[in-house]
């Protein structure tokens, strides 16, 4: 009994394989909950997300945004000039020192990795540098490299796998690190490429194409689909493609790259229809593959899908109860923010703390192009297909006063609301800093707020807002699932008495049996605030003959001189 008690009372042992955003959050959360935590990482804390992916790429995009701000300053009345020897003004040229830019962003990435390592060390996490692989369901073997010498063994009660993913390499376009590049090799360039060919119009390809175009390079984007960013909102993709074309980028839609070859002058990309595109460099952005091969997952009983991703549930648990997986190596959303949340959720679930399973509809995603594209919840395609019964509310940024002051011409705000109740179920924002503007819509989706509740929130004027409320507190216009434009929704006061009768439901007051439900009066024949017809409702408790929605709502108020409610309409 004493041995069993001591075993139960000892600190749980947690081993984290991979120190990316998900592994970092898992290790930190486990240490804060009192567990004995060991982290195995082969390249550094933060993983490829911090060292070669998210942090460097977003730093490069920030530099490109600064270059755009300088070039567009004249639109706001700011003129740059230098005086010559004779006192005459001349226009200066903006030069991009790519070697200095890459040095800075790699230094920022290494600094962020060191800060994360120090945070884990202060929390009591043991960090081992090496390549780890599973041996059974409770052991991780640490080696000097793939097929190298084993030098450590970690026993654990709970294992969290966060090994990430690597750029996909095609046999017909093998990266050489000089002319044919992956996104992890871009930061070795010393000068801005004369002509960069980007193969792949997904998130990674669009972000780098936008950044290098704004830095001043000639860019050609090859897309195998009919639009940039396939799978994203069509209006957002259309705006971004218009910005690309206006900036001088050549977008080749419905063009599949067959092979990429290096030449004496640079590279040549051969398309499937026989056309060729010549450039100085080529970026291959054709997706990624999970780093799940050769680390003992299948031998431990962990189930993988056909692409090699680890199958997990909403709390990041695999098919093995004590093994969890987070981040890009799973079949969940491949986002750094999602990986961090998965890491915390996995530890909370494993150690018996309160846990809220992840929901895809509540995940906010952002594409860091110029302008940015932020999305959350359902899409307009879901509404158009009839999968979701909702409306679409849209506001072009060109009509927003704050956007006019900032010189923003491209972009819009789009909110998706459920028909009848007006509950916010999704949104799309195309604007500068859309990753920050999407936050109010994310809160509305999380808390199931209605458009009227969102419009009643006071904010400073002028501002770039998520909706354009009318004086009565509703959005300006809406569109049905079939595409027809709907008149603005009314809010606050009830419609005039002569408009309350529902044209398709000629209800009338008549004799009724004892115990039969009350029929609505002639002046209460419209829909309830939740959109349900009177025939789908029940009588109110006050017995006044008015009707009440089944769901709780604010359609009733107290009768005069009585605490019993009566119908507001």
């Amino acid at each position: 009994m004493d041995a069993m008690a001591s075993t139960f009372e000892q600190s749980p042992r947690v081993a984290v394989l991979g120190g990316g955003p998900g592994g970092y959050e898992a290790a930190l959360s486990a240490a804060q909950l009192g567990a004995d935590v060991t982290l195995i990482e082969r390249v550094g804390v933060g993983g490829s997300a911090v060292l070669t992916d998210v942090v460097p790429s977003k730093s490069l995009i920030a530099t490109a945004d600064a270059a755009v701000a300088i070039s567009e300053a004249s639109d706001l009345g700011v003129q740059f000039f230098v005086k010559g020897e004779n006192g005459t003004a001349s226009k200066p040229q903006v030069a991009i020192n790519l070697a200095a830019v890459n040095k800075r962003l790699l230094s920022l990435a290494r600094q962020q990795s060191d800060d994360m390592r120090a945070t884990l060390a202060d929390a009591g996490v043991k960090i081992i540098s090496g390549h780890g692989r599973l041996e059974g369901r409770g052991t991780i073997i640490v080696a000097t490299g793939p097929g190298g010498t084993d030098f450590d063994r970690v026993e654990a009660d709970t294992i969290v796998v966060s090994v990430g993913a690597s750029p996909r390499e095609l046999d017909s376009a093998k990266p050489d690190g000089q002319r044919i590049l992956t996104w992890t090799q871009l930061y070795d360039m010393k000068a801005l490429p004369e002509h960069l060919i980007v193969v792949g119009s997904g998130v990674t390809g669009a972000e780098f194409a936008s950044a290098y175009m704004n830095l001043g390079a000639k860019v050609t984007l090859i897309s195998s689909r009919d639009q940039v960013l396939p799978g994203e909102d069509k209006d957002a993709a259309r705006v971004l493609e218009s910005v690309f074309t206006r900036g001088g980028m050549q977008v080749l839609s419905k063009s599949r790259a067959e092979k990429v070859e290096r030449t004496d002058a640079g590279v040549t990309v051969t398309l499937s229809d026989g056309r060729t595109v010549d450039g100085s460099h080529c970026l291959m952005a054709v997706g990624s593959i999970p780093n799940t091969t050769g680390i003992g997952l299948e031998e431990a009983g962990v189930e993988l899908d056909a692409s090699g991703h680890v199958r997990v549930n909403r709390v990041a648990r695999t098919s093995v109860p004590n093994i969890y997986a987070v981040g890009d190596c799973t079949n969940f959303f491949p986002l750094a923010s999602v990986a961090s949340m998965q890491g915390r959720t996995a530890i909370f679930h494993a150690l018996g703390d309160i846990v809220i399973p992840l929901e895809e509809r509540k995940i906010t995603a952002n594409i860091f192009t110029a302008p940015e594209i932020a999305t959350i919840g359902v899409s307009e395609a879901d509404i158009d297909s009839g999968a979701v019964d909702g409306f679409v509310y849209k506001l072009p940024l060109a009509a927003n006063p704050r956007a006019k002051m900032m010189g923003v011409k491209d972009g819009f705000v789009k909110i998706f609301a459920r028909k009848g109740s007006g509950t916010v179920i999704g949104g799309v924002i195309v604007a500068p800093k859309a990753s920050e503007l999407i936050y109010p819509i994310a809160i509305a989706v999380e808390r199931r707020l209605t458009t009227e509740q969102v419009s009643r929130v006071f904010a400073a004027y002028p501002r770039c807002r998520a909706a354009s409320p009318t004086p009565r507190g509703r959005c300006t216009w809406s569109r049905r699932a079939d595409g027809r434009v709907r008149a603005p929704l009314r809010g606050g006061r009830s419609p005039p008495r002569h408009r309350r009768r529902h044209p398709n439901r000629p209800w009338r007051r008549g004799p009724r049996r004892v115990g039969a439900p009350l029929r609505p009066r002639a002046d209460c024949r419209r829909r309830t605030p939740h959109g349900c017809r009177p025939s789908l409702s029940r009588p109110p408790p006050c017995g006044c003959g008015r009707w009440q929605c089944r769901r709780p709502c604010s359609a009733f108020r107290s009768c005069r001189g009585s605490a019993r409610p009566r119908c507001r309409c």
Side-chain angles (χ1 to χ4, degrees), residues 30 70 102 116 187 203 207 293 335 414 418 461:
I70 295 174
N102 289 337
M116 295 172 67
Y187 313 113
V203 175
E207 286 183 350
T293 304
L335 297 175
K414 189 185 295 185
R418 196 172 297 279
Y461 178 86

Side-chain angles (χ1 to χ4, degrees), residues 20 34 45 49 72 77 99 152 156 229 241-242 252 345 384 412 436 442 446 455 471 496-497 512 520 531 534 544 554:
V45 179
E72 295 180 351
D152 206 341
L229 296 175
E241 190 166 344
S242 175
L252 302 179
T345 302
D384 293 340
F412 59 83
E436 302 174 10
E446 166 69 27
S455 65
R497 183 176 295 273
R512 65 184 182 90
C544 66
S554 58

Side-chain angles (χ1 to χ4, degrees), residues 500 521 523-524 540-548 554-569:
R500 293 179 182 173
R521 292 180 179 177
D523 59 350
C524 192
C542 63
C544 66
R546 317 280 176 116
W547 286 59
Q548 175 182 352
S554 58
F556 292 87
R557 60 187 179 187
S558 299
C559 299
R560 294 181 180 178
S562 173
R564 302 167 69 183
R566 68 181 178 85
C567 186
R568 175 178 292 179
C569 58

Side-chain angles (χ1 to χ4, degrees), residues 100-332:
V101 171
N102 289 337
K103 181 179 179 181
R104 171 183 174 271
L105 59 89
L106 291 178
S107 175
L108 288 176
R110 177 54 60 183
Q111 180 182 355
Q112 179 66 19
S113 177
D114 293 341
D115 292 343
M116 295 172 67
R117 186 183 186 91
T119 301
L120 292 179
D122 293 341
V125 177
K126 180 182 178 181
I127 302 175
I128 302 177
S129 298
H131 291 250
R133 71 179 187 276
L134 272 67
E135 187 177 78
R137 300 187 175 188
T139 305
I140 295 180
I141 302 299
V142 186
T144 56
T149 304
D150 300 340
F151 65 88
D152 206 341
R153 179 186 182 92
V154 180
E155 302 283 347
D157 304 313
T158 300
I159 295 178
V160 179
V161 179
S162 176
V163 293
S166 301
R168 183 185 302 275
E169 297 182 2
L170 304 180
D171 294 335
S172 58
K174 279 292 185 181
D176 58 6
Q178 297 178 351
R179 295 289 182 172
I180 305 175
L181 310 167
T182 64
W183 64 78
T184 63
Q185 300 169 340
L186 282 172
Y187 313 113
D188 296 330
M189 290 192 297
K190 304 300 181 182
L192 203 64
E194 297 179 3
H195 183 189
L196 177 64
I197 303 173
V198 180
V199 178
S201 62
V203 175
T204 302
E207 286 183 350
F208 279 109
S210 176
Y212 278 95
M213 179 192 71
N214 292 330
L215 288 174
K218 180 182 178 181
V219 179
T220 298
L221 181 61
I222 300 177
S223 173
S224 60
R225 307 293 182 88
D226 55 352
Q227 69 172 31
V228 178
L229 296 175
E232 297 294 333
D233 186 84
K234 291 185 178 181
D235 292 340
R238 192 177 300 111
V239 170
L240 186 62
E241 190 166 344
S242 175
V243 172
F244 284 173
T245 304
R246 191 168 64 246
M249 183 187 304
Q250 183 183 11
V251 180
L252 302 179
S253 302
K254 297 182 180 180
S255 302
R256 183 179 297 276
E258 193 72 24
K259 61 179 179 178
V260 180
E261 298 174 320
R262 182 169 177 174
T263 62
D264 296 336
V267 294
T268 298
V269 179
T270 304
L271 305 181
S272 57
D273 57 2
R275 292 179 298 168
T276 59
V277 182
D278 296 326
S280 60
H281 296 77
C282 179
L283 169 63
M284 299 300 299
V286 290
S288 59
I289 55 176
N291 299 325
T292 55
T293 304
I295 61 174
L297 289 175
E298 295 177 319
E299 291 78 4
V302 177
E303 185 176 348
L304 308 179
D305 60 14
S307 61
H309 293 84
V310 182
R311 300 188 62 180
V312 296
N313 58 13
R314 292 171 56 194
V315 295
R317 189 165 69 172
T318 68
S319 56
V320 180
N322 71 309
I323 299 179
Y324 295 76
V326 300
D328 292 358
C329 65
T330 69
N331 60 344
F332 209 64

